[in-house]
């Protein structure tokens, strides 16, 4: 149904060629009356970007990689596509901050997304945050920027979106009055939930990326397998909802039907449920405070039958505790954790190290990196560089010859 009298929202999708990008464009394509694609961005995937430009006709397409931008330009010219192609990382921020832009989907993977996401926040945009690494790295600075620019920050991570939906509307104005006792962050447990320590020694990148519930990019798939994804989400929840680390509890829920819960002081627990499909939180955040169809079918409780809950196992999955430790250490420790994780996950995906080395390398990097306070985005980016150098050294010590 067309929106009466309302204008189309102009969207920028940072990370358009990825899994979240694809799900976002799927929802957007269902509502051409509401949304228009202003810009799409990617790093190197020219084929996919060319396809998206021909389908969605954005005003701009940005490739962070300059060679990829040149290649895309030639391709689109040959197809007479009017989309203007820009190249380089600075252009990511450029399109996100354009005055015509209403909302920015922040779906670049990893630290590469920090600067454009932060810049979109500072420009006061409505920012739909999938790129959890940006908030993990910059924490308080990020939330201060949201407040200073009066930006609208909406979580896309299904857990945080569920918590957002389970909190009262005026929560951010008066969090004390809400009476939140705990945030219960649910997680599927990943592909290795039942694997033994011995089995974890020999798992491959293909095993790790074969998630039982979610179909995601390779980096977050490995994070789900180590439970670092849950660890990053604990840090993300701390900043999004202003709760302490001790108020956030992780609950393994293999069916992934409950996407997270809020436990209140009166004993009430409020949860958000739905089929595990990222189009649900994406549609929620795009239309908030209204609701729109996402293309996801209604939940079939009789098909689900039963739901179960477990504690995470710190011995097999030490990354979760490492994240709690980094959060408690504060300063640049979460940025160090994130950088060491990105480096070691890439080394695992490249088959340079085994799966269990990921946590060892992160622990060693946290141990060696000097902990410092961070007052500026540059200081965060410097901590990221420092931690990557240490992590690469630790990876070198453990790499197969
Ligand atoms: P993908 O790997 O599928 O996609 C990543 C996107 O980021 C691609 O468009 C990629 O471009 C782009 N990109 C990668 N490196 C750079 C760079 N250096 N500069 C600019 N762009 C870059 O990741 P996902 O979609 O799975 O995840 C994206 C984010 O969303 C992550 O932070 C993840 O944690 C979060 N998230 C994902 C969920 C999911 O279901 N997938 C669920 C919840 C959160 P190219 O294709 O050209 O490489």
């Amino acid at each position: 149904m067309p929106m009466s009298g309302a204008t189309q929202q102009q969207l920028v999708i940072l990370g358009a060629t990825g899994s979240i990008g694809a799900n976002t464009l799927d929802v957007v394509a269902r509502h051409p009356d509401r949304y228009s694609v202003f810009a799409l961005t990617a790093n190197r995937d020219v084929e996919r970007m060319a396809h998206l430009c021909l389908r969605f006709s954005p005003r701009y397409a940005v490739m962070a990689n300059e060679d990829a931008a040149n290649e895309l330009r030639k391709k689109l010219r040959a197809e007479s596509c009017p989309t203007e192609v820009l190249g380089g990382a600075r252009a990511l921020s450029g399109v996100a901050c354009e005055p015509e832009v209403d909302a920015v989907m922040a779906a670049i993977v990893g630290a590469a997304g920090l600067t454009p996401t932060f810049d979109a926040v500072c420009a006061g945009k409505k920012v739909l945050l999938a790129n959890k690494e940006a908030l993990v790295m910059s924490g308080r600075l990020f939330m201060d920027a949201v407040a200073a620019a009066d930006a609208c920050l909406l979580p896309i991570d299904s857990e945080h979106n569920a918590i957002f939906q389970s909190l009262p509307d005026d929560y951010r104005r008066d969090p004390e009055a809400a009476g939140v006792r705990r945030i219960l962050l649910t997680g599927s447990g990943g592909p290795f939930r039942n694997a033994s320590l011995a089995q974890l020694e020999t798992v491959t990148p293909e095993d790790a990326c074969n998630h039982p519930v979610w179909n995601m990019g390779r980096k977050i798939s490995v994070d789900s397998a180590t439970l670092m994804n849950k660890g990053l989400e604990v840090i993300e929840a701390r900043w999004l909802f202003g709760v302490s680390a001790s108020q956030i509890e992780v609950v393994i829920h293999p069916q992934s039907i409950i996407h997270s819960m809020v436990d209140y002081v009166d004993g009430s627990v409020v949860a958000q449920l739905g089929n595990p499909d990222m189009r649900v939180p994406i549609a929620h955040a795009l239309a908030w405070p209204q609701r729109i169809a996402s293309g996801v079918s209604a939940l079939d409780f009789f098909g689900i039958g039963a739901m179960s809950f477990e504690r995470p196992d710190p011995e097999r999955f030490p990354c979760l505790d490492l994240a709690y430790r980094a959060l408690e250490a504060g300063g640049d420790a979460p940025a160090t954790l994130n950088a060491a994780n990105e480096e070691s996950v890439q080394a695992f995906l490249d088959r340079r190290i085994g799966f269990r080395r990921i946590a060892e390398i992160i622990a060693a990097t946290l141990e060696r990196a000097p902990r410092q306070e961070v007052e500026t985005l540059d200081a965060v980016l410097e901590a990221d560089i420092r931690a990557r150098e240490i992590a690469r050294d630790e990876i070198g010590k453990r790499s197969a010859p």
Side-chain angles (χ1 to χ4, degrees):
M1 192 195 296
M3 286 170 72
S4 53
T7 53
Q8 277 182 320
Q9 281 193 38
Q10 299 288 325
L11 301 182
V12 172
I13 303 176
L14 302 172
T17 50
S19 155
I20 292 288
N23 279 306
T24 304
L25 288 166
D26 182 286
V27 176
V28 165
R30 292 167 195 275
H31 302 280
D33 52 330
R34 278 182 173 257
Y35 306 110
S36 168
V37 180
F38 181 82
L40 297 175
T41 86
N43 188 22
R44 293 170 186 271
D45 191 345
V46 172
E47 283 301 318
R48 175 97 193 123
M49 185 57 115
H51 169 80
L52 295 178
C53 288
L54 292 169
R55 172 133 192 248
F56 290 95
S57 308
R59 192 175 318 166
Y60 296 105
V62 181
M63 302 303 286
N65 179 281
E66 300 273 8
D67 293 340
N70 289 334
E71 206 185 312
L72 180 68
R73 209 169 280 123
K74 275 190 221 140
K75 238 185 198 326
L76 293 186
R77 211 172 285 147
E79 301 274 359
S80 305
C81 175
T83 296
E84 186 175 336
V85 179
L86 306 173
R90 288 169 72 100
L92 300 171
S93 293
V95 293
C97 297
E98 282 283 334
E100 296 102 304
V101 172
D102 298 297
V104 176
M105 168 58 79
I108 292 175
V109 62
L114 173 58
T115 302
T117 305
F118 200 92
D119 288 345
V121 163
C122 292
K125 301 298 182 191
K126 173 174 170 179
V127 174
L128 316 182
L129 185 71
N131 178 211
K132 64 192 88 184
E133 297 92 340
L135 183 53
V136 166
M137 293 172 75
S138 59
R140 188 178 303 284
L141 279 178
F142 193 99
M143 297 311 290
D144 285 352
V146 169
D150 200 18
C152 174
L153 182 66
L154 294 166
I156 292 298
D157 233 332
S158 58
E159 295 77 1
H160 305 74
N161 185 272
I163 295 160
F164 180 84
Q165 294 197 47
S166 303
L167 287 168
D169 289 346
D170 58 355
Y171 176 72
R172 279 185 190 158
R173 199 166 36 79
D174 191 358
E176 282 297 305
V180 172
R181 180 160 50 195
R182 283 180 308 167
I183 299 275
L184 299 165
L185 206 57
T186 56
S188 69
F192 305 143
R193 183 169 61 88
N194 294 318
S196 66
L197 272 178
Q199 286 168 327
L200 291 179
E201 279 296 344
T202 56
V203 293
T204 64
E206 290 71 30
D207 298 330
C209 291
N210 187 16
H211 196 280
V213 181
W214 302 97
N215 185 8
M216 309 178 287
R218 282 164 72 76
K219 189 262 177 182
I220 184 175
S221 294
V222 177
D223 286 348
S224 297
T226 60
L227 289 201
M228 179 55 93
N229 185 47
K230 237 12 83 182
L232 298 176
E233 288 176 5
V234 167
I235 301 175
E236 186 184 8
R238 185 266 171 270
W239 292 114
L240 281 176
F241 306 114
V243 289
S244 65
S246 62
Q247 281 178 288
I248 307 169
E249 190 168 337
V250 172
V251 178
I252 302 299
H253 164 46
Q255 298 78 18
S256 296
I257 297 298
I258 297 176
H259 296 299
S260 279
M261 306 176 259
V262 178
D263 175 19
Y264 289 93
V265 287
D266 63 2
S268 301
V269 177
V270 180
Q272 185 260 358
L273 285 71
N275 281 315
D277 187 318
M278 287 307 295
R279 290 176 300 172
V280 175
I282 289 169
H284 170 266
L286 274 171
W288 182 85
Q290 299 177 355
R291 299 260 179 186
I292 55 169
S294 64
V296 178
S297 56
L299 196 55
D300 171 13
F301 282 92
F302 306 108
I304 298 161
M307 292 195 277
S308 58
F309 305 95
E310 301 164 14
R311 280 183 206 284
D313 175 2
E315 195 187 1
R316 289 179 301 138
F317 302 105
C319 284
L320 181 56
D321 281 349
L322 291 173
Y324 271 103
R325 265 169 41 199
L327 178 55
E328 271 150 25
D332 60 3
T336 300
L337 173 97
N338 180 69
N341 183 54
E342 287 190 21
E343 290 293 325
S344 50
V345 166
Q346 193 55 53
F348 169 69
L349 287 171
D350 297 342
R351 299 175 203 281
R352 285 180 280 137
I353 56 167
F355 181 78
R356 294 195 61 215
R357 306 293 83 72
I358 295 174
E360 288 173 16
I361 289 159
I362 298 165
T365 307
L366 281 170
E367 196 71 31
R368 280 176 57 188
R371 201 202 72 85
Q372 293 173 8
E373 290 305 322
V374 278
E375 304 296 341
T376 62
L377 197 61
D378 282 346
V380 175
L381 296 170
E382 279 162 26
D384 175 76
I385 292 170
R386 258 196 320 271
R388 281 172 200 273
E389 277 168 15
I390 301 172
R392 284 184 201 131
D393 180 52
E394 294 294 333
I395 290 166
K397 292 179 194 167
R398 293 166 177 83
S399 295

